[in-house]
């Protein structure tokens, strides 16, 4: 309940920076990424999200899971049908009369973010837990954030937000 309330404050613009520190296997990605993005696009189909993780597996599977959720019959019953304009797993958009609407772009911390701006940037496990003492890994994460990711927030949104999810 506490996490859901914090995420709702991000969606309403009341909170623009949120750090979630919860131990592994407590559903951080399920709630703060998959459910949040799916719910937000159901209510605000214009919203765009950038999702980044250290893990190529997460950067590939997570947006595919979100895409699967928003095109499911159960989702259609609640939010109405959502058609995809572009169907690549790591970069896709909702279709609005043949044009790109809201959507999701996914990358790794080692990857780049070009050609996509977001309303909410979600950084999920920016580093492997055992890399916490590695200056090089910390520097890579800082470079990703300051050099690319933080500059990709939509200027048209009065309350763009950044969510960071990680172990403490």
């Amino acid at each position: 309940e506490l996490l859901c309330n914090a995420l709702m404050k991000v969606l309403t613009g009341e909170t623009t920076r949120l750090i979630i520190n919860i131990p592994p296997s407590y559903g951080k990605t399920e709630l703060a990424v998959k459910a949040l993005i799916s719910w937000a696009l159901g209510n605000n189909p214009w919203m765009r999200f950038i999702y980044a993780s250290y893990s190529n597996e997460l950067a590939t599977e997570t947006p595919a899971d979100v895409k699967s959720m928003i095109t499911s019959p159960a989702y259609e019953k609640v939010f109405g049908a959502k058609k995809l304009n572009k169907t690549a797993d790591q970069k896709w958009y909702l279709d609005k009369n043949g044009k790109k609407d809201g959507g999701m772009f996914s990358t790794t911390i080692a990857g780049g973010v070009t050609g996509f701006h977001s309303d909410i940037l979600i950084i999920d496990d920016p580093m492997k837990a055992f890399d916490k003492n590695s200056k090089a890994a910390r520097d890579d994460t800082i470079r990703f954030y300051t050099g690319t990711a933080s500059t990709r927030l939509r200027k048209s949104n009065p309350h763009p937000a950044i969510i960071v999810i990680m172990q403490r």
Side-chain angles (χ1 to χ4, degrees), residues 91 105 112-117 148 152:
K91 183 178 180 182
F105 178 87
V113 181
T114 56
F116 195 95
H117 287 83
T148 306
R152 306 317 282 170

Side-chain angles (χ1 to χ4, degrees), residues 31-96:
L31 239 129
V33 181
K34 296 175 187 178
L36 175 73
I37 294 172
S38 299
W39 191 90
L41 288 173
N43 288 285
N44 305 297
W46 52 268
M47 289 189 83
R48 291 193 180 178
F49 294 84
I50 293 175
Y51 172 76
S53 176
Y54 79 85
S55 165
N56 190 49
E57 185 176 328
L58 277 176
T60 302
E61 289 179 4
T62 300
D65 289 347
V66 174
K67 187 171 69 171
S68 179
M69 289 171 76
I70 67 170
T71 57
S72 72
Y75 189 90
E76 183 178 344
K77 285 181 182 178
V78 175
F79 297 109
K82 301 293 182 214
K83 184 179 173 191
L84 296 175
N85 182 289
K86 185 173 181 179
T87 59
D89 282 342
Q90 290 185 259
K91 183 178 180 182
W92 51 263
Y93 302 90
L94 298 178
D95 183 275
K96 182 178 181 181

